[in-house]
């Protein structure tokens, strides 16, 4: 199965109709891969296509699906941590490296706890926690976001994670979504 198709099918297994019917992929030579939800475009930072960059297509496409699934809430800075974390999970699942990525994410999150701490308050200020292209970026933040998603999947199952995403889209509030779906504050 072509890696693009594999990623698309995987996204559909999670988000169904929220996955855009057509996703345009553009490879660029700039330094930041990103997505544009208004036009269902993913821009991949790469001077040439490689297996690794093709996996990034699924990561960025995941953002499009989560954006649609949460009615745009996933782009809000307070929800970026789980959006980026889930996009990373999908990326590594597409490339058949999820088990290794999970172990890496757990180790990295432990390092982050020691280095700069982890709390919902901190990760919800994504611009400060992760950074931006204009400032220093800490890509370990993606693994912290992934561990949040792994926790929900491992403890409650994939369906609860999707229900949580949907609740975030409905409530636009992390506390309300966690209480409604996981019965936790």
């Amino acid at each position: 199965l072509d890696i693009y198709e594999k990623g698309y099918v995987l996204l559909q297994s999670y988000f169904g109709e929220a996955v855009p019917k057509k996703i345009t992929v553009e490879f660029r030579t700039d330094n930041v891969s990103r997505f544009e939800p208004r036009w269902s475009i993913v821009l991949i930072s790469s001077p040439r296509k490689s297996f690794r960059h093709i996996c990034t297509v699924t990561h960025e496409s995941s953002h499009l699906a989560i954006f649609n699934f949460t009615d745009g809430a996933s782009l809000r800075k307070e929800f970026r941590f789980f959006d980026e974390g889930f996009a990373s999970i999908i990326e590594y699942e597409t490339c058949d490296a999820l088990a290794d990525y999970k172990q890496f994410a757990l180790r990295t999150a432990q390092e982050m706890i020691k280095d700069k701490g982890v709390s919902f308050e901190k990760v919800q200020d994504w611009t400060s926690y992760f950074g931006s292209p204009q400032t220093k970026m800490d890509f370990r933040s993606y693994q912290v976001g992934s561990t949040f998603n792994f926790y929900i999947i491992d403890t409650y199952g994939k369906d609860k994670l999707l229900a949580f995403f949907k609740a975030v889209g409905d409530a636009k509030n992390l506390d309300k979504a966690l209480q409604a779906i996981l019965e936790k504050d």
Side-chain angles (χ1 to χ4, degrees), residues 1 12 30 36-37 44 48 56 59 64 67 78 92 114 116 128 143 149 155 165-166 175:
L1 190 62
Q12 285 184 316
D30 56 5
E36 178 49 66
I44 306 301
R48 66 189 194 311
T56 305
H59 178 108
L64 296 174
F67 175 85
E78 66 266 29
Y92 284 90
K114 292 175 187 170
K116 67 183 204 182
S128 294
Q143 285 79 52
N149 292 288
T155 306
F165 288 165
K166 189 56 95 178
D175 290 331

Side-chain angles (χ1 to χ4, degrees), residues 39-173:
W39 297 288
S40 296
I41 295 173
V42 295
L43 304 165
I44 306 301
S45 174
S46 174
R48 66 189 194 311
K49 294 179 188 177
S50 70
F51 179 74
R52 185 74 208 113
H53 289 98
I54 291 171
C55 295
T56 305
V57 169
T58 306
H59 178 108
E60 297 300 332
S61 297
S62 175
H63 291 307
L64 296 174
I66 295 172
F67 175 85
N68 291 338
F69 198 74
T70 64
D71 194 28
S74 62
L75 275 184
R76 292 172 54 166
K77 76 174 186 168
E78 66 266 29
F79 305 130
R80 292 292 299 188
F81 75 97
F82 71 77
D83 177 55
E84 290 294 356
F86 188 78
S88 295
I89 290 170
I90 290 292
E91 173 182 353
Y92 284 90
E93 187 172 353
T94 298
C95 293
D96 297 321
L98 186 58
D100 290 339
Y101 175 71
K102 183 175 184 180
Q103 292 307 309
F104 171 69
L106 292 170
R107 281 191 313 271
T108 302
Q110 285 294 323
E111 292 169 9
M112 291 286 282
I113 289 169
K114 292 175 187 170
D115 184 29
K116 67 183 204 182
V118 175
S119 68
F120 280 126
E121 183 179 357
K122 287 183 178 185
V123 298
Q124 284 190 286
D125 187 358
W126 187 252
T127 308
S128 294
Y129 196 73
F130 169 69
S132 72
Q134 294 76 29
T135 65
K136 184 179 178 186
M137 297 179 285
D138 190 344
F139 286 95
R140 299 175 304 167
S141 302
Y142 284 54
Q143 285 79 52
V144 170
S146 293
T147 62
F148 173 79
N149 292 288
F150 282 131
Y151 171 77
I152 294 176
I153 293 168
D154 292 349
T155 306
Y156 302 99
K158 170 185 159 182
D159 291 340
K160 283 286 188 181
L161 179 66
L162 296 176
F164 166 74
F165 288 165
K166 189 56 95 178
V168 164
D170 292 342
K172 310 290 191 275
N173 181 288

